[in-house]
Amino acid sequence: MLYYLFANGIYYKLQDLIKGELIFLTENEYLLQQTQKSVFDLLNNNPEFEGINNFSSFKDFLIKLVPSQDRSRFSENKYLNFSNFKELYESSKLRKSDIRKYTAEECWFTIRTYIYGYRNNEKLLSKDYQTIVPLKSQRIPLEKYKGIEEIVLSFYEKLIYEEGYWDKLFIIRHLEENKNNIPLFEMVVCDEAQDFCRVELR
């Protein structure tokens, strides 16, 4: 359905019925390639549509917003996605019993969905978790949340602030702190939107 909507958006844009810009965002590169192919197929490979570049992974979209003089902070080999985090976490010097108790999946989800992913300007710590997050959205038990905050959060923050790793939430904070202008779009389509945390959606 999203492919049909976006193909229509491109058609109307070329007819000058949509004045602003439009963009299709995805969470990963493989999905991005599939999306482009599907939308172009819907447009019947008409030469009129060649060269349209309104597709981007969310990570690449954010990187393009960073001023060129700041981009050296965001080298590709330091990009922290879940796969990299899991490998670093499971081979870290943290106690093996803690790594077993707090899985990489739980830690990544808690840190990126709640601690850093829920509020724009400050961390959501365990003392506020149950009062700020609606009950139906509390996917992590409070005791586990506290354990991840006390044991694993400092490991994540060391990766980001001392070892030069970065993730999408770090770029968003960088853009906000440096008051970088975010372009406006007439139409934004986000595939796999359930993978975006609140801060990313905002």
Side-chain angles (χ1 to χ4, degrees), residues 1 31 47 77 127 158 164:
M1 183 57 72
L31 186 58
N77 66 332
K127 64 185 176 63
K158 184 178 179 188

Side-chain angles (χ1 to χ4, degrees), residues 109 113-114 117-119 124-142 145 198 202:
F109 179 77
T113 301
Y114 299 114
Y118 204 80
R119 300 195 287 197
L124 179 67
L125 300 178
S126 56
K127 64 185 176 63
D128 299 319
Y129 174 59
Q130 290 186 311
T131 56
I132 291 185
V133 179
L135 184 60
K136 65 181 181 180
S137 298
Q138 294 175 22
R139 304 280 185 235
I140 297 290
L142 181 60
Y145 195 108
R198 283 168 57 98
R202 286 177 184 154

